[in-house]
Amino acid sequence: MEIIKGKTIKYIKEKRTVPQSVKENLKYFNQMKKALLNALRESPKTVPQLAEVLQKPTDEVLFYLMSLLKYGFVEAGEPDDNEEYFYYKIKDNG
């Protein structure tokens, strides 16, 4: 029996395709991640400030920001003057 390398992977790729909606959701997530990190490179910001900069609804910004927080890309800083919102900043891994 001859072993053909990569045959299983090729078969799986042909039979199991990723739905277009999943690809589009991943693409949007990556765009939001990049936009949030770019906005936070300038200075720490609260969720409403990020929503204003990105021109996105606050709840949407919060969702993606919490994803970045969960996976260690950002961290919460000090609360604002009214102690209503936290400032978020890019996590210093060094």
Side-chain angles (χ1 to χ4, degrees):
M1 180 176 163
E2 182 182 346
I3 298 174
I4 301 173
K5 290 185 177 180
K7 186 177 180 182
T8 302
I9 296 297
K10 183 179 178 184
Y11 176 79
I12 290 173
K13 284 183 178 177
E14 288 174 359
K15 296 296 178 185
R16 295 183 186 173
T17 59
V18 177
Q20 189 63 30
S21 62
V22 172
K23 291 178 183 177
E24 290 172 7
N25 286 342
L26 180 60
K27 183 177 178 180
Y28 188 71
F29 174 78
N30 287 330
Q31 289 172 344
M32 284 295 294
K33 175 183 164 186
K34 185 176 179 179
L36 283 167
L37 292 175
N38 284 337
L40 291 173
R41 276 195 184 92
E42 298 169 5
S43 63
K45 291 180 177 56
T46 63
V47 171
Q49 290 171 335
L50 286 167
E52 184 177 327
V53 168
L54 301 176
Q55 298 294 310
K56 299 287 183 185
T58 306
D59 58 336
E60 186 178 341
V61 168
L62 182 61
F63 174 80
Y64 289 105
L65 185 63
M66 291 301 106
S67 298
L68 295 178
L69 183 69
K70 178 179 178 181
Y71 292 108
F73 289 98
V74 299
E75 62 186 354
E78 298 295 318
D80 64 0
D81 292 338
N82 297 331
E83 296 189 0
E84 189 173 4
Y85 297 102
F86 284 99
Y87 282 97
Y88 291 91
K89 60 184 179 181
I90 295 176
K91 190 171 185 178
D92 182 20
N93 292 327

